[in-house]
Amino acid sequence: MRAGVYDSGIGGLTVVKSLIEQKLFDEIIYFGDTARVPYGVKDKNTIIRYSLEALEFFKNFDIDIMIAACNSVSAYAIDELKANAPFKVSGVIEPGVMALKNKIPNLDANILVLGTTATIRSGKYERLLKQNGYKNINSLSPSLFVPVVEEGLFEGVVLETVARHYFEGIDEPDVIILGCTHFPLIKDEISKFFPSSLLIHSGEAVVEFLQKEFLLNQTFKQTSLKLFASENPDKLKKIASVWL
Ligand code: DGL
């Protein structure tokens, strides 16, 4: 079973980590569009166009499923990907909501969704959460985190300053959805501002979601990973060797 995992950059590695840990695939082909990251500040049509180009890339491999491990793509381009793909396609927003449902039965919980401008503008998290009965939802797009993470700054003064810029004065919610796959890489910094909030990300429920939705029930002894990037693949490989 072979998966193609796609993100604008390195963030999708946070989803790859969960996929490798749970051994759902014997091979993962990863593509990070590092030449054009960030996606989250771009408009809907651009994100759809980039996603369809990534789809063409994955058509060169005999994959069983393409996982858009990017919330901005999941927010805007999933329907177009599904309509044009010769294999199954999954996003990460539904798994993120599933992860929250698994952990938070209280429908009155205060939820803060952190995502890119594109993800928040799409309103997809908010819609799905409301459909599931949650009432108290706020959203914030700390888009500057994406270039900071791409720069490999997972701690330190730059990250701290950006975090303060977005988070100072924000009430601590019960739960925070890390609605951008780059954000789990800086979860320690986010927790400094919101020490009692539970942090949720899509990687947590992605395997459960894929098993349920696509009936992927086999597991494999190990998963091999091939990494591709539209620019500077060595940087992607370096970060993968640290994060995975
Ligand atoms: N990691 C992506 C996401 O989940 C994209 C971030 C970006 O490229 O702006 O939205």
Side-chain angles (χ1 to χ4, degrees), residues 72-118:
S72 312
V73 171
S74 305
Y76 278 145
I78 287 297
D79 290 345
E80 283 75 6
L81 287 173
K82 283 186 177 161
N84 290 284
F87 31 71
K88 299 180 180 85
V89 174
S90 173
V92 284
I93 293 185
E94 285 88 351
V97 172
M98 181 185 264
L100 182 131
K101 273 177 74 182
N102 288 345
K103 289 196 171 163
I104 311 283
N106 175 13
L107 298 176
D108 292 318
N110 284 308
I111 301 171
L112 176 64
V113 182
L114 298 181
T116 64
T117 307

Side-chain angles (χ1 to χ4, degrees), residues 7-9 11-12 37-41 69-73 92 116 119 143 146 179-182:
D7 181 42
S8 58
V37 69
Y39 279 15
V41 292
C70 172
N71 289 267
S72 312
V73 171
V92 284
T116 64
T119 299
S143 294
V146 176
C180 171
T181 52
H182 281 68

Side-chain angles (χ1 to χ4, degrees), residues 25-85:
F25 300 100
D26 56 355
E27 187 168 33
I28 293 175
I29 312 288
Y30 185 91
F31 173 63
D33 195 2
T34 47
R36 303 193 288 198
V37 69
Y39 279 15
V41 292
K42 300 197 166 67
D43 71 16
K44 181 177 176 178
N45 289 339
T46 306
I47 293 172
I48 291 174
R49 179 160 54 85
Y50 289 175
S51 303
L52 291 176
E53 287 170 14
L55 175 67
E56 291 307 310
F57 169 82
F58 284 116
K59 283 183 184 169
N60 295 308
F61 302 87
D62 188 21
I63 62 169
D64 299 285
I65 184 164
M66 174 177 175
I67 301 165
C70 172
N71 289 267
S72 312
V73 171
S74 305
Y76 278 145
I78 287 297
D79 290 345
E80 283 75 6
L81 287 173
K82 283 186 177 161
N84 290 284

